[in-house]
Amino acid sequence: MASVGMAQVGCGTWGQVMLTRFRAHSQARIEAVCDLNGDVAKQIAEQFGAKAYYDNLEELLRHPGIDAVGVATPDFAHREAVVGALDAGKHVLVQKPMATTVEDCKAMVEAEQRSGRYLMVDFQHRWGIGFVEARAAVHSESFGRVVHGHIRMSNSQRVPTQMLSWAGRSSVLWFLGTHTLDLLRFILDSEVTRVFAVSRRGVLESRGVPTPDFFQSTLEFDNGACIQMENSWVLPEGEIAVIELNMELYGANECVRVNQAPNNVIQKTTKTGLEVPLGARSAVMARGTSIDYFIDCVVSGTRPSITGHDGLMNTATLVAIERSVAEGRPVALAEVL
């Protein structure tokens, strides 16, 4: 394919991020945009040079020249756009999480399968240098099987109280936990079998944001690894960065540590001592961006490594975590799938 005709559904903050990457890609052209707010759609079309704008999904999908669609509607509203685009013969890149219910995810996977088109979830942190190297370390012969570890991705209170107007209608689990969970599945190449989680409320509710303060989750994987996952929205506002992202994984022989934010460093400890494979980084992403990768896949006719199945398993695990918190017990993935 010489070039890819792109359309964007949802023109908010992340929709504009996607459009920025579409415009920058040498083999992509922006055909059309769609937003429920027609005035916003018109403004964004003019800003990014789209040929047309719509406030109706069906009308957008009839626009000629569209090969692929980016979806950045609210998390709970992905299904209609994703299924509609796939059934119309378009490839789809959808923002994470793919959906907030297992039922919606299964509908998307079924549409992916019957259409033969690509459905990729934008799990962009797989492109982080440290996590790419951590995956290589974990799968090296010297590392040994992964025994246990932890991963943490949290925000300062500025995010739910100042940056996200809709924080009270979501949670840090869906906003950040979707990323940490995907990184673990990517690095370990293993599926979660059971979860046990706790959460508390109070800090954010006292500031007018009705959402949990944090989630602490224990994840058991089918390769035997047991990983602690922490996601918090109550880090102090005075933190040097709005996000903290770090991970430690311990194998039978070695361990790997990634401190991507705010320090952007990876370390590996072997039987003989400490290694710092590349030291401190000035760039976080290893291979362009996930959006560039999706366009490259469409151009080359190569199915993306991230598919609807990844989105389904991600959502199912987050649903299991919420159920574990609500019922105060371990929950097996089989119970929600």
Side-chain angles (χ1 to χ4, degrees), residues 61-120:
L61 294 176
R62 289 195 293 266
H63 181 92
I66 295 174
D67 302 301
V69 175
V71 176
T73 53
D75 297 346
F76 59 84
H78 287 169
R79 177 175 174 171
E80 179 184 3
V82 170
V83 172
L86 289 168
D87 284 346
K90 318 301 182 186
H91 303 293
V92 175
L93 175 65
V94 60
Q95 280 303 314
K96 58 76 194 171
M98 190 165 83
T100 55
T101 70
V102 172
E103 178 186 6
D104 282 356
C105 286
K106 288 183 175 179
M108 295 181 206
V109 170
E110 290 170 0
E112 175 189 25
Q113 292 171 344
R114 67 174 173 260
S115 71
R117 299 290 139 176
Y118 306 156
L119 170 57
M120 175 175 156

Side-chain angles (χ1 to χ4, degrees), residues 254-270:
E254 300 176 347
C255 79
V256 62
R257 298 181 176 92
V258 180
N259 190 335
Q260 180 159 303
N263 297 327
N264 205 16
V265 171
I266 178 172
Q267 295 178 331
K268 180 182 176 184
T269 302
T270 69

Side-chain angles (χ1 to χ4, degrees), residues 48-260:
F48 288 93
K51 297 177 183 178
Y53 64 91
Y54 301 91
D55 62 6
N56 179 281
L57 177 65
E58 293 182 0
E59 291 180 3
L60 171 85
L61 294 176
R62 289 195 293 266
H63 181 92
I66 295 174
D67 302 301
V69 175
V71 176
T73 53
D75 297 346
F76 59 84
H78 287 169
R79 177 175 174 171
E80 179 184 3
V82 170
V83 172
L86 289 168
D87 284 346
K90 318 301 182 186
H91 303 293
V92 175
L93 175 65
V94 60
Q95 280 303 314
K96 58 76 194 171
M98 190 165 83
T100 55
T101 70
V102 172
E103 178 186 6
D104 282 356
C105 286
K106 288 183 175 179
M108 295 181 206
V109 170
E110 290 170 0
E112 175 189 25
Q113 292 171 344
R114 67 174 173 260
S115 71
R117 299 290 139 176
Y118 306 156
L119 170 57
M120 175 175 156
V121 187
D122 191 17
F123 289 128
Q124 62 264 31
H125 283 280
R126 290 194 187 197
W127 275 254
I129 292 175
F131 297 114
V132 171
E133 293 182 356
R135 176 181 165 90
V138 163
H139 291 280
S140 66
E141 186 175 344
S142 61
F143 198 84
R145 72 175 185 88
V146 179
V147 180
H148 69 91
H150 76 258
I151 189 167
R152 178 187 188 216
M153 189 175 189
S154 298
N155 288 148
S156 80
Q157 294 178 36
R158 281 179 284 168
V159 171
T161 62
Q162 300 175 36
M163 296 173 60
L164 301 179
S165 61
W166 44 264
R169 300 193 299 275
S170 184
S171 75
V172 68
L173 183 67
W174 290 100
F175 190 66
L176 298 182
T178 183
H179 284 306
T180 47
L181 175 59
D182 180 68
L183 284 171
L184 291 173
R185 290 186 65 252
F186 167 64
I187 292 167
L188 299 179
D189 196 19
S190 181
E191 296 289 5
V192 176
T193 58
R194 190 171 69 156
V195 306
F196 181 62
V198 296
S199 179
R200 296 289 185 272
R201 292 173 174 264
V203 175
L204 293 175
E205 287 185 340
S206 72
R207 300 188 178 190
V209 184
T211 192
D213 295 333
F214 68 87
F215 287 80
Q216 291 182 334
S217 311
T218 299
L219 311 176
E220 295 178 326
F221 286 81
D222 60 16
N223 66 358
C226 185
I227 310 297
Q228 301 292 323
M229 185 174 84
E230 179 177 299
N231 305 110
S232 171
W233 257 351
V234 291
L235 273 59
E237 292 185 19
E239 291 282 1
I240 61 174
V242 296
I243 184 172
E244 288 189 6
L245 174 54
N246 53 67
M247 179 188 73
E248 293 187 0
L249 296 176
Y250 294 88
N253 305 314
E254 300 176 347
C255 79
V256 62
R257 298 181 176 92
V258 180
N259 190 335
Q260 180 159 303

Side-chain angles (χ1 to χ4, degrees), residues 263-336:
N263 297 327
N264 205 16
V265 171
I266 178 172
Q267 295 178 331
K268 180 182 176 184
T269 302
T270 69
K271 291 181 178 180
T272 59
L274 178 67
E275 295 179 3
V276 184
L278 292 179
R281 270 73 161 166
S282 59
V284 173
M285 296 303 171
R287 302 163 288 165
T289 72
S290 51
I291 299 172
D292 298 328
Y293 170 75
F294 172 77
I295 296 171
D296 291 342
C297 286
V298 175
V299 170
S300 66
T302 303
R303 188 166 295 277
S305 59
I306 304 173
T307 68
H309 174 75
D310 294 292
L312 168 62
M313 296 307 294
N314 188 278
T315 290
T317 305
L318 299 181
V319 169
I321 288 172
E322 288 188 325
R323 182 178 295 186
S324 177
V325 169
E327 299 179 5
R329 65 176 181 89
V331 174
L333 263 288
E335 296 181 51
V336 300

